[in-house]
Amino acid sequence: MNKVEIYRGWCKKCGICIAFCPEAVLEADEALYPTVKDPEKCNGCRLCEMRCPDFAIVVYRNEESYPETDSSPGK
Amino acid sequence: MRETTHLVHKYLRSSKRFPHIWCAGCGIGIFMQSLIRVIDQKEYSKDDVVLISGIGCSGRLPVYVDFNTLHTTHGRALTFATGIKLAKPRLKVIAIMGDGDAIAIGGNHFIHAARRNVEIASFVINNQVYGMTGGQCSPTTPDGTITASSPYGNLEPDFNICRLAEAAGATFVGRATVYHTRLLEQLIGKAFEKKGFAMVEVVSQCVTYPGRTFGPDPAVAMMKWQRDNSITVAQASKLSEAERQGKIEIGILVDKERPTYHEEYQKLLRKKPKV
Ligand SMILES: Cc1ncc(C[n+]2csc(CCOP(=O)(O)OP(=O)(O)O)c2C)c(N)n1
Ligand code: SF4
Ligand code: SF4
Ligand code: SF4
Ligand SMILES: [Mg+2]
């Protein structure tokens, strides 16, 4: 299974990782920090990590379950 | 929870304070991460890379990373970059600019660096505004926009940075948004490989100024806008000028070869002309 870690010390709660996760793995907690709601659903695409402006999220990938996704227009 | 180990940590200056100064959801951090990831993939040595910026929120980027870096004056990143490339041609010279930095005050340097074909990988972070000074109009602010310096709406049509670079002679021109991170990384890689003046326009969000009109979640709303308004170069070629209005054309717009300035300069030095 893939593992998503959020480093609260650097997170500014912008919501980008939550809004654009293609599998809706993340949600905001009461303090508006992202948390992992559904770890099994994570496809390891890493888009949350790549789009975090504050380098506050890292995805540890289980290589076997990694599908090629792209971020071309419309996706 | 153990502390997150992120690839960027290999390149951040430990003496700097983090989180960085950019506002929550500002696109500059996304570009910075992409840039670092590509440098890491290419396995450039830190000593062989030089990052040069002007002044602005975008201009803060080199401050945070452990390469050779130069934080110069507003609009003059390409001027310093040109000098460095001529003096030390083996270096990978990278210029990071804002839209105001590159196209307003630095517009002259921009067109002439492109015309000379100086081998610089240059990146213009286009947030359509002067972010650092409080949200005034820039040459890429859309017509009609209300800003700190256009309270009744901007009267000026906006510049197309990529077309400007192309017309001035740039040998590589591309555009991506920070939403399209994978495309952005491809273009950064191509710009690094280019033997000549390469320019990538990075469409980004300033959440604090233009973002004010995007509701309670400006970073997310502005990135959705990037996603929903982008069209590929191939799609754009099938549309009329009027249909392309308001769309962001993403992909590679120019990729060609021309003699580079520093190579011509080296040839001249070898000839040792009499004066
Ligand atoms: C010679 C000079 N003129 C004006 C300024 C003030 N100034 C600082 S940043 C800036 C514009 C920033 O806009 P942009 O280049 O788009 O960068 P951003 O902050 O949006 O990333 C201006 C006008 C300056 N520092 N130096
Ligand atoms: S994208 Fe980064 S800074 Fe923004 S909410 Fe997610 S982890 Fe926090
Ligand atoms: S890696 Fe992809 S699927 Fe997993 S949480 Fe991040 S964005 Fe969602
Ligand atoms: S003012 Fe705008 S460009 Fe500057 S850091 Fe904030 S969001 Fe980014
Ligand atoms: Mg700007």
PDB file of all heavy atoms in Angstrom, chain B residues 21-23 26-28 57 127 129 131-132 205-209, ligand 4:
ATOM      1  N   ILE B  21       8.484  32.188   2.709  1.00  0.00           N
ATOM      2  CA  ILE B  21       7.660  33.399   2.911  1.00  0.00           C
ATOM      3  C   ILE B  21       6.436  33.476   2.007  1.00  0.00           C
ATOM      4  O   ILE B  21       5.581  34.320   2.216  1.00  0.00           O
ATOM      5  CB  ILE B  21       8.452  34.717   2.681  1.00  0.00           C
ATOM      6  CG1 ILE B  21       9.021  34.769   1.254  1.00  0.00           C
ATOM      7  CG2 ILE B  21       9.511  34.932   3.717  1.00  0.00           C
ATOM      8  CD1 ILE B  21       9.143  36.181   0.723  1.00  0.00           C
ATOM      9  N   TRP B  22       6.363  32.667   0.951  1.00  0.00           N
ATOM     10  CA  TRP B  22       5.249  32.802   0.021  1.00  0.00           C
ATOM     11  C   TRP B  22       3.919  32.470   0.706  1.00  0.00           C
ATOM     12  O   TRP B  22       3.851  31.600   1.583  1.00  0.00           O
ATOM     13  CB  TRP B  22       5.486  31.920  -1.207  1.00  0.00           C
ATOM     14  CG  TRP B  22       6.702  32.323  -1.985  1.00  0.00           C
ATOM     15  CD1 TRP B  22       7.015  33.580  -2.421  1.00  0.00           C
ATOM     16  CD2 TRP B  22       7.791  31.483  -2.401  1.00  0.00           C
ATOM     17  NE1 TRP B  22       8.218  33.560  -3.093  1.00  0.00           N
ATOM     18  CE2 TRP B  22       8.710  32.288  -3.099  1.00  0.00           C
ATOM     19  CE3 TRP B  22       8.076  30.114  -2.267  1.00  0.00           C
ATOM     20  CZ2 TRP B  22       9.891  31.790  -3.648  1.00  0.00           C
ATOM     21  CZ3 TRP B  22       9.249  29.616  -2.809  1.00  0.00           C
ATOM     22  CH2 TRP B  22      10.143  30.443  -3.492  1.00  0.00           C
ATOM     23  N   CYS B  23       2.867  33.148   0.265  1.00  0.00           N
ATOM     24  CA  CYS B  23       1.547  32.980   0.867  1.00  0.00           C
ATOM     25  C   CYS B  23       1.041  31.538   0.690  1.00  0.00           C
ATOM     26  O   CYS B  23       1.477  30.838  -0.226  1.00  0.00           O
ATOM     27  CB  CYS B  23       0.539  33.927   0.218  1.00  0.00           C
ATOM     28  SG  CYS B  23       1.080  35.652   0.141  1.00  0.00           S
ATOM     29  N   CYS B  26       0.391  29.865  -2.915  1.00  0.00           N
ATOM     30  CA  CYS B  26       1.079  30.568  -4.007  1.00  0.00           C
ATOM     31  C   CYS B  26       1.768  29.550  -4.923  1.00  0.00           C
ATOM     32  O   CYS B  26       2.389  28.605  -4.457  1.00  0.00           O
ATOM     33  CB  CYS B  26       2.111  31.533  -3.428  1.00  0.00           C
ATOM     34  SG  CYS B  26       3.143  32.283  -4.706  1.00  0.00           S
ATOM     35  N   GLY B  27       1.669  29.779  -6.231  1.00  0.00           N
ATOM     36  CA  GLY B  27       2.202  28.805  -7.186  1.00  0.00           C
ATOM     37  C   GLY B  27       3.718  28.759  -7.277  1.00  0.00           C
ATOM     38  O   GLY B  27       4.280  27.811  -7.847  1.00  0.00           O
ATOM     39  N   ILE B  28       4.415  29.749  -6.745  1.00  0.00           N
ATOM     40  CA  ILE B  28       5.876  29.794  -6.915  1.00  0.00           C
ATOM     41  C   ILE B  28       6.530  28.561  -6.287  1.00  0.00           C
ATOM     42  O   ILE B  28       7.459  27.982  -6.850  1.00  0.00           O
ATOM     43  CB  ILE B  28       6.465  31.101  -6.314  1.00  0.00           C
ATOM     44  CG1 ILE B  28       5.861  32.331  -7.014  1.00  0.00           C
ATOM     45  CG2 ILE B  28       7.990  31.115  -6.455  1.00  0.00           C
ATOM     46  CD1 ILE B  28       6.211  33.666  -6.356  1.00  0.00           C
ATOM     47  N   CYS B  57       8.311  38.539  -5.749  1.00  0.00           N
ATOM     48  CA  CYS B  57       8.068  37.291  -5.004  1.00  0.00           C
ATOM     49  C   CYS B  57       8.791  36.153  -5.716  1.00  0.00           C
ATOM     50  O   CYS B  57       9.435  35.319  -5.081  1.00  0.00           O
ATOM     51  CB  CYS B  57       6.580  37.006  -4.911  1.00  0.00           C
ATOM     52  SG  CYS B  57       5.681  38.223  -3.934  1.00  0.00           S
ATOM     53  N   ASN B 127       2.159  35.466 -12.900  1.00  0.00           N
ATOM     54  CA  ASN B 127       0.959  35.510 -12.052  1.00  0.00           C
ATOM     55  C   ASN B 127       0.094  36.719 -12.409  1.00  0.00           C
ATOM     56  O   ASN B 127      -0.821  37.083 -11.683  1.00  0.00           O
ATOM     57  CB  ASN B 127       1.334  35.495 -10.565  1.00  0.00           C
ATOM     58  CG  ASN B 127       2.328  36.580 -10.206  1.00  0.00           C
ATOM     59  OD1 ASN B 127       2.561  37.507 -10.990  1.00  0.00           O
ATOM     60  ND2 ASN B 127       2.928  36.484  -9.037  1.00  0.00           N
ATOM     61  N   VAL B 129       0.529  39.853 -12.322  1.00  0.00           N
ATOM     62  CA  VAL B 129       0.434  40.956 -11.357  1.00  0.00           C
ATOM     63  C   VAL B 129       1.823  41.252 -10.761  1.00  0.00           C
ATOM     64  O   VAL B 129       2.714  40.417 -10.831  1.00  0.00           O
ATOM     65  CB  VAL B 129      -0.558  40.573 -10.222  1.00  0.00           C
ATOM     66  CG1 VAL B 129       0.058  39.562  -9.254  1.00  0.00           C
ATOM     67  CG2 VAL B 129      -1.075  41.779  -9.459  1.00  0.00           C
ATOM     68  N   GLY B 131       3.181  41.050  -7.632  1.00  0.00           N
ATOM     69  CA  GLY B 131       2.799  40.469  -6.351  1.00  0.00           C
ATOM     70  C   GLY B 131       3.473  41.176  -5.183  1.00  0.00           C
ATOM     71  O   GLY B 131       2.819  41.681  -4.262  1.00  0.00           O
ATOM     72  N   MET B 132       4.787  41.253  -5.245  1.00  0.00           N
ATOM     73  CA  MET B 132       5.560  41.726  -4.092  1.00  0.00           C
ATOM     74  C   MET B 132       5.200  43.132  -3.640  1.00  0.00           C
ATOM     75  O   MET B 132       5.211  43.433  -2.444  1.00  0.00           O
ATOM     76  CB  MET B 132       7.051  41.646  -4.400  1.00  0.00           C
ATOM     77  CG  MET B 132       7.905  42.232  -3.304  1.00  0.00           C
ATOM     78  SD  MET B 132       9.573  41.613  -3.350  1.00  0.00           S
ATOM     79  CE  MET B 132       9.397  40.201  -2.288  1.00  0.00           C
ATOM     80  N   GLN B 205      -0.418  31.192  -9.778  1.00  0.00           N
ATOM     81  CA  GLN B 205      -1.444  31.981  -9.096  1.00  0.00           C
ATOM     82  C   GLN B 205      -0.840  32.840  -7.987  1.00  0.00           C
ATOM     83  O   GLN B 205      -0.049  32.366  -7.195  1.00  0.00           O
ATOM     84  CB  GLN B 205      -2.552  31.093  -8.518  1.00  0.00           C
ATOM     85  CG  GLN B 205      -2.159  30.157  -7.390  1.00  0.00           C
ATOM     86  CD  GLN B 205      -1.593  28.832  -7.901  1.00  0.00           C
ATOM     87  OE1 GLN B 205      -1.309  28.655  -9.066  1.00  0.00           O
ATOM     88  NE2 GLN B 205      -1.396  27.872  -6.993  1.00  0.00           N
ATOM     89  N   CYS B 206      -1.244  34.136  -8.000  1.00  0.00           N
ATOM     90  CA  CYS B 206      -1.007  34.996  -6.840  1.00  0.00           C
ATOM     91  C   CYS B 206      -2.322  34.996  -6.085  1.00  0.00           C
ATOM     92  O   CYS B 206      -3.290  35.619  -6.515  1.00  0.00           O
ATOM     93  CB  CYS B 206      -0.620  36.410  -7.253  1.00  0.00           C
ATOM     94  SG  CYS B 206      -0.620  37.570  -5.851  1.00  0.00           S
ATOM     95  N   VAL B 207      -2.357  34.261  -4.979  1.00  0.00           N
ATOM     96  CA  VAL B 207      -3.623  34.080  -4.266  1.00  0.00           C
ATOM     97  C   VAL B 207      -4.019  35.324  -3.482  1.00  0.00           C
ATOM     98  O   VAL B 207      -5.193  35.538  -3.184  1.00  0.00           O
ATOM     99  CB  VAL B 207      -3.535  32.867  -3.294  1.00  0.00           C
ATOM    100  CG1 VAL B 207      -3.325  31.585  -4.063  1.00  0.00           C
ATOM    101  CG2 VAL B 207      -2.425  33.058  -2.276  1.00  0.00           C
ATOM    102  N   THR B 208      -3.041  36.162  -3.169  1.00  0.00           N
ATOM    103  CA  THR B 208      -3.303  37.280  -2.267  1.00  0.00           C
ATOM    104  C   THR B 208      -3.910  38.490  -2.979  1.00  0.00           C
ATOM    105  O   THR B 208      -4.758  39.171  -2.430  1.00  0.00           O
ATOM    106  CB  THR B 208      -2.006  37.650  -1.532  1.00  0.00           C
ATOM    107  OG1 THR B 208      -1.617  36.505  -0.784  1.00  0.00           O
ATOM    108  CG2 THR B 208      -2.183  38.831  -0.588  1.00  0.00           C
ATOM    109  N   TYR B 209      -3.499  38.750  -4.244  1.00  0.00           N
ATOM    110  CA  TYR B 209      -4.051  39.915  -4.953  1.00  0.00           C
ATOM    111  C   TYR B 209      -5.112  39.517  -5.983  1.00  0.00           C
ATOM    112  O   TYR B 209      -6.300  39.608  -5.665  1.00  0.00           O
ATOM    113  CB  TYR B 209      -2.920  40.810  -5.455  1.00  0.00           C
ATOM    114  CG  TYR B 209      -2.107  41.326  -4.276  1.00  0.00           C
ATOM    115  CD1 TYR B 209      -0.815  40.875  -4.033  1.00  0.00           C
ATOM    116  CD2 TYR B 209      -2.697  42.190  -3.349  1.00  0.00           C
ATOM    117  CE1 TYR B 209      -0.104  41.293  -2.914  1.00  0.00           C
ATOM    118  CE2 TYR B 209      -1.998  42.615  -2.225  1.00  0.00           C
ATOM    119  CZ  TYR B 209      -0.701  42.163  -2.013  1.00  0.00           C
ATOM    120  OH  TYR B 209      -0.018  42.579  -0.907  1.00  0.00           O
TER     121      TYR B 209
HETATM  122  S1  SF4 C   4       1.851  38.102  -2.872  1.00  0.00           S
HETATM  123 FE1  SF4 C   4       1.106  36.733  -4.488  1.00  0.00          FE
HETATM  124  S2  SF4 C   4       2.959  36.154  -5.659  1.00  0.00           S
HETATM  125 FE2  SF4 C   4       3.643  37.017  -3.697  1.00  0.00          FE
HETATM  126  S3  SF4 C   4       3.899  35.240  -2.331  1.00  0.00           S
HETATM  127 FE3  SF4 C   4       1.820  36.027  -2.006  1.00  0.00          FE
HETATM  128  S4  SF4 C   4       0.539  34.832  -3.426  1.00  0.00           S
HETATM  129 FE4  SF4 C   4       2.659  34.574  -4.094  1.00  0.00          FE
END
